[in-house]
Amino acid sequence: MSTLGRGLHGRVLDALGPAITAGEYPPGSVLRTDELAQRFDVSRSVMREAVRVLESMHLVESRRRVGVTVRPKAEWNVYDPQVIRWRLAGADRPHQLRSLTVLRSAIEPVAAGLAAKHATAEQCAELTECALGMVANSKGHRLEGYLLHDIAFHRVILNASGNEMFARLGDVVAEVLTGRTRHEVMFEDPDPAAVTLHVRLAEAIRAGDAGHAEELTREIAEGALQELDILAP
């Protein structure tokens, strides 16, 4: 269950959020809070709380005497992990996965190069541990176990880059990796070549080889894009 999926306003969000991001309520649609409260059998205060969360994501805007209006997609906070999760659960999944994977391919190689220069001994040890965890879960349809180590691996790189902007993208990367797994946009077992690249990347960062770290990360990103061409064209 998602963080937002608790309580009454969470139940409303879990219905309205995916509906908005899936286009069931096109931009410009006006949602009446009184009608929604009645539909979901919740109080007006609960409905207002749900609307405030949707406003924080820039999915809607609330104006007196007008109601709650769905905003254009161009105005959505597309970096919000919950918005990403909702979009990955809907028909927009192929476009969303490709968009996020291209974003990763632009940012993570640079982050890996910086990590090779700035990673602490503890971060290098954590990277190696994560890579070995990926290896241990790479056979036998153990994708959930693999996912946990994969997410942790990329978080360490983004944090070890020393760039706080890159570090804040950890949740975005976690959502796209989770989306690929949960929505079966992966092979039954991870690509062995990709697993090996992660091990080599951990070694390059530990060795302080920024150029090689960037090169390996680009290979990982290119592999992810090729996987999408096959599984989510």
Side-chain angles (χ1 to χ4, degrees):
M1 183 180 290
S2 71
T3 304
L4 293 175
R6 303 188 186 118
L8 292 174
H9 87 276
R11 178 166 61 83
V12 175
L13 283 170
D14 287 342
L16 270 184
I20 291 171
T21 56
E24 293 177 28
Y25 297 102
S29 299
V30 176
L31 311 177
R32 304 292 180 185
T33 53
D34 288 351
E35 294 175 4
L36 290 171
Q38 185 175 13
R39 171 185 163 190
F40 290 107
D41 193 24
V42 296
S43 67
R44 292 180 182 178
S45 62
V46 167
M47 196 64 233
R48 283 195 294 271
E49 178 61 26
V51 167
R52 276 196 290 270
V53 175
L54 294 173
E55 283 184 296
S56 74
M57 300 172 177
H58 296 181
L59 295 181
V60 302
E61 61 179 341
S62 182
R63 286 185 289 179
R64 187 174 296 179
R65 297 191 182 90
V66 175
V68 179
T69 306
V70 177
R71 299 175 70 160
K73 185 185 292 187
E75 297 177 5
W76 296 354
N77 181 4
V78 293
Y79 288 101
D80 188 294
Q82 184 65 70
V83 174
I84 292 171
R85 197 173 308 152
W86 285 335
R87 294 179 73 188
L88 286 175
D92 197 32
R93 183 184 308 139
H95 175 266
Q96 176 76 154
L97 277 172
R98 191 166 300 279
S99 178
L100 289 166
T101 304
V102 170
L103 174 70
R104 289 183 59 202
S105 70
I107 290 172
E108 289 197 85
V110 178
L114 289 171
K117 298 176 182 178
H118 302 300
T120 64
E122 291 77 11
Q123 287 171 325
C124 288
E126 191 175 353
L127 266 183
T128 299
E129 184 180 345
C130 291
L132 293 176
M134 292 171 74
V135 172
N137 286 274
S138 62
K139 300 268 185 200
H141 310 332
R142 301 167 66 181
L143 288 179
E144 286 294 333
Y146 183 88
L147 173 64
L148 291 176
H149 293 288
D150 196 11
I151 288 173
F153 183 93
H154 290 279
R155 279 193 190 279
V156 174
I157 289 177
L158 291 168
N159 289 329
S161 72
N163 183 300
E164 70 276 12
M165 303 298 286
F166 288 170
R168 287 298 299 274
L169 290 173
D171 287 345
V172 172
V173 172
E175 288 300 334
V176 68
L177 291 174
T178 300
R180 288 171 60 214
T181 301
R182 300 275 163 81
H183 297 294
E184 301 179 352
V185 189
M186 279 187 72
F187 299 107
E188 290 186 348
D189 282 329
D191 178 10
V195 178
T196 300
L197 284 171
H198 282 78
V199 174
R200 291 173 59 196
L201 175 55
E203 293 173 349
I205 290 174
R206 182 174 57 82
D209 191 339
H212 194 38
E214 285 194 36
E215 179 185 337
L216 290 167
T217 310
R218 286 197 181 90
E219 286 189 51
I220 291 171
E222 287 170 6
L225 281 169
Q226 289 171 3
E227 197 173 76
L228 287 182
D229 288 338
I230 298 170
L231 297 171

